Amino acid sequence: MALLRRLLLKFPSEVRCGPCLKYSTAAGEYGASLESIQEAATRIRPYANRTPVMTSDYLNDLSSRNLFFKCEIFQKGGAFKFRGGCNAVFSLSEETAAKGVVTHSSGNHAGALALAANMRKIPAFIVIPEGAPQCKLDAVTENGGKITQCFPSVPEREKTAAIIQEKTGATMIPPYNYGPVISGQGTMALEFLEQVAELDAIVVPVSGGGMLSGIAIAAKALKPAIKVIAAEPSGKNEAPDVALSKARGELVDLPVPDTIADGLRAKLGSLTWPIIRDHVDDVVIVKEEEIIVAMKLIFESEFYFKHRIR
């Protein structure tokens, strides 16, 4: 409950906020724009799911707010990552796509890219570090992805992916610091604001910042008064680089957070940071024990969730 109260303090019942420090969505300036996100929505529509929004009277009563949950667990591949991967794959020309795509990832991006590539019937070369969970490997191989495993370090992952790219001519598709991926993730905000037009604020988890960047660009362009709040795990090693970067106004280099939120173990990129710097209103730092309490709360109140159909 302490975490819920801290989040709610960031956006009162009626939100009135001023303009962003820097309001511009020119693709040349940020790497993504409202236009590129709208184009992504059209591009991925035949392939991606329009995910439901759910509500919970129990959590509404607990928070004294109306809370809406955009349920990307119902996206293809089980995560929002498919949006960005799909947009990236289907943005490629026929000639370029024929050579395939390559990435290095131990998370949902690997499976999402393999799935999107399979839909377009092109090769997907996925570098995965040794020790990755079998379920992650299965998500890639089940969709025809070709796995190469390497020593579990970022330099080795990048080196291995670069070798594959040189040999195959495949296009590198980074998991978050890449314009088409950011634009694909931003399609969530387009849907969300269509489904719940009265939203006052959106809370988005952050590590590398692809999802947060896309949502911030789209949401602020469509509804400038909306607040966009990042939720960042500090990790056991107290490494909240997004919050510290926002506070200092410059990109800060910290170790990757050692957190139970294993999908949030990345760092901001050169494309995601400027968007977050200029368009995200605040960052809430979340401690490990708060994440565990919040998970327990959601699991225990799962019965009370219901679909909101719009």
Side-chain angles (χ1 to χ4, degrees), residues 54 56 58 296-306:
M54 301 186 80
S56 168
Y58 173 71
K296 185 172 184 287
L297 176 64
I298 293 297
F299 292 152
E300 290 180 345
S301 63
E302 184 178 14
F303 176 77
Y304 299 100
F305 276 85
K306 59 186 179 183

Side-chain angles (χ1 to χ4, degrees), residues 40-50 75-77 82-83 86-87 89-90 115-116 119-120:
T42 300
R43 186 175 294 115
I44 71 175
R45 188 170 295 125
Y47 312 102
N49 293 334
R50 181 182 173 91
Q75 187 51 262
K76 287 180 180 173
F82 179 72
R83 294 176 183 267
C86 185
N87 186 51
V89 165
F90 284 92
L115 176 56
M119 288 180 169
R120 193 165 180 183

Side-chain angles (χ1 to χ4, degrees), residues 68-98:
F68 304 93
F69 298 85
K70 181 69 170 155
C71 297
E72 287 294 299
I73 56 171
F74 298 113
Q75 187 51 262
K76 287 180 180 173
F80 74 91
K81 290 284 189 178
F82 179 72
R83 294 176 183 267
C86 185
N87 186 51
V89 165
F90 284 92
S91 294
L92 301 174
S93 68
E94 290 295 331
E95 181 180 359
T96 301

Side-chain angles (χ1 to χ4, degrees), residues 67-150:
L67 305 179
F68 304 93
F69 298 85
K70 181 69 170 155
C71 297
E72 287 294 299
I73 56 171
F74 298 113
Q75 187 51 262
K76 287 180 180 173
F80 74 91
K81 290 284 189 178
F82 179 72
R83 294 176 183 267
C86 185
N87 186 51
V89 165
F90 284 92
S91 294
L92 301 174
S93 68
E94 290 295 331
E95 181 180 359
T96 301
K99 298 176 183 177
V101 290
V102 60
T103 196
H104 55 87
S105 169
S106 58
N108 291 322
H109 177 66
L113 191 64
L115 176 56
N118 190 37
M119 288 180 169
R120 193 165 180 183
K121 296 180 171 46
I122 64 173
F125 305 97
I126 313 294
V127 176
I128 297 181
E130 296 168 354
Q134 187 61 43
C135 62
K136 302 294 186 183
L137 302 176
D138 293 343
V140 173
T141 56
E142 287 171 5
N143 288 298
K146 301 175 182 179
I147 294 176
T148 300
Q149 291 195 274
C150 69

Side-chain angles (χ1 to χ4, degrees), residues 134-204:
Q134 187 61 43
C135 62
K136 302 294 186 183
L137 302 176
D138 293 343
V140 173
T141 56
E142 287 171 5
N143 288 298
K146 301 175 182 179
I147 294 176
T148 300
Q149 291 195 274
C150 69
F151 182 78
S153 73
V154 172
E156 280 301 312
R157 285 164 50 162
E158 292 175 343
K159 176 183 175 182
T160 305
I163 292 171
I164 293 172
Q165 184 179 24
E166 185 176 355
K167 286 182 178 178
T168 63
T171 299
M172 178 69 71
I173 309 293
Y176 55 87
N177 199 47
Y178 186 56
V181 168
I182 294 172
S183 295
Q185 317 308 24
T187 62
M188 278 179 281
L190 301 185
E191 289 181 11
F192 208 177
L193 286 168
E194 287 175 359
Q195 292 165 310
V196 192
E198 65 270 27
L199 283 176
D200 294 314
I202 303 178
V203 180
V204 187

Side-chain angles (χ1 to χ4, degrees), residues 15 17 193 199-202 219-220 223-228 279 281:
V15 173
C17 57
L193 286 168
L199 283 176
D200 294 314
I202 303 178
K220 290 289 189 178
K223 193 173 183 179
I226 199 168
K227 278 199 169 186
V228 178
H279 294 289
D281 294 280

